[in-house]
Amino acid sequence: MNDVEIDAWQVPILVTAAIVLVEAAFNLVLRSRGLGPPSQRVRTAGFGVLVLLTVTVFVAALGPTRADQLSSVAAAVAAVVALWLTYRSYNATAKPPPRSEEEPAAKPDNPGES
């Protein structure tokens, strides 16, 4: 048996080819049946399958050691992004929003007692 290994540079080419073939197949089926474009859910499910396929092929091409290292780096980047978003969220709630000049001043509760 031949052992066929996929190099990392081949992954985008294979995924692009798979997307083109799947799209061509869907177009042929839809044209032959006279149907319009698929619903939003079908397109979302198809996109999810393609993402899963891409990640699976990418991890398989890298091998377990490099995939483990890459996941560690990705987790570190995600932690930094989460920290930055938390900081931005804290700053947004800690400061009162600026008043626009078009907003009227606050009125007293009892206008006759001022």
Side-chain angles (χ1 to χ4, degrees):
M1 241 188 202
N2 292 337
D3 285 331
V4 178
E5 291 188 26
I6 299 173
D7 291 330
W9 66 270
Q10 295 171 327
V11 173
I13 295 169
L14 293 173
V15 170
T16 303
I19 290 170
V20 169
L21 291 174
V22 168
E23 182 183 7
F26 271 110
N27 284 336
L28 286 174
V29 168
L30 291 176
R31 284 184 189 162
S32 67
R33 293 186 178 190
L35 300 173
S39 70
Q40 185 78 20
R41 286 186 182 193
V42 172
R43 287 184 288 179
T44 303
F47 181 69
V49 168
L50 288 175
V51 167
L52 184 64
L53 175 69
T54 304
V55 170
T56 303
V57 170
F58 183 71
V59 169
L62 287 177
T65 305
R66 287 212 178 152
D68 185 38
Q69 292 170 350
L70 184 63
S71 68
S72 298
V73 171
V77 169
V80 169
V81 169
L83 179 66
W84 179 70
L85 290 174
T86 303
Y87 175 74
R88 294 269 311 207
S89 176
Y90 173 75
N91 278 345
T93 57
K95 299 177 189 174
R99 285 184 41 191
S100 68
E101 294 184 19
E102 297 175 3
E103 246 180 62
K107 296 180 183 178
D109 291 336
N110 294 329
E113 292 184 11
S114 314

